[in-house]
Amino acid sequence: QVRLVESGGGSVQAGRSLRLSCDASGYTFSSTSQAWFRQTPGKEREWIACIDSNSNTGYADSVKGRFAISKDNAKNTLYLQMDSLKPVDAAMYYCAGSRYPASCSGYEIVYDYWGQGTQVTVSS
């Protein structure tokens, strides 16, 4: 059974940092691609960052230079380090994993597995 469980969300002031984690199980985490997305009420889900099996990474322009995606294959855990947070970063954050090896991608269709999300709130 595939499971992705996010943690690390919370409420912070603008300019501060948070690190999200996603514990994955039930699929071949190390040889597939993973990603973070976020969504706010009334808006479409937005891709944030991705990392492939070779640890190649990609970022949305909105977070480039502030967020960093990483993974620990030994722990089957995906991370998102978020620095210099802004109120516009407030959202529900989701991790996602692909079933098959794939290049780092911002397209939702690439990802077969999704977590339930963790809420991030940023106050000004």
Side-chain angles (χ1 to χ4, degrees):
Q1 181 182 2
V2 174
R3 288 193 70 200
L4 287 87
V5 181
E6 302 95 336
S7 61
S11 182
V12 297
Q13 289 187 323
R16 304 297 293 269
S17 299
L18 277 176
R19 188 175 83 152
L20 306 183
S21 299
C22 173
D23 292 319
S25 61
Y27 69 106
T28 314
F29 179 86
S30 61
S31 60
T32 57
S33 287
Q34 324 300 323
W36 288 97
F37 290 77
R38 68 186 181 189
Q39 188 172 25
T40 54
K43 293 188 177 181
E44 292 187 357
R45 192 153 48 188
E46 174 191 17
W47 169 70
I48 296 301
C50 60
I51 186 167
D52 68 13
S53 59
N54 294 318
S55 294
N56 296 307
T57 59
Y59 297 93
D61 288 342
S62 59
V63 304
K64 197 173 296 183
R66 299 188 298 121
F67 290 13
I69 189 171
S70 62
K71 63 175 181 171
D72 184 334
N73 288 334
K75 296 181 178 180
N76 279 5
T77 302
L78 180 70
Y79 302 101
L80 184 68
Q81 178 67 39
M82 305 187 294
D83 297 326
S84 302
L85 282 161
K86 305 175 181 179
V88 294
D89 294 318
M92 184 72 79
Y93 282 72
Y94 300 91
C95 62
S98 66
R99 181 177 182 181
Y100 301 109
S103 299
C104 184
S105 173
Y107 292 104
E108 288 191 31
I109 195 171
V110 170
Y111 304 99
D112 304 279
Y113 310 123
W114 294 83
Q116 294 299 306
T118 185
Q119 183 69 45
V120 172
T121 304
V122 184
S123 58
S124 57

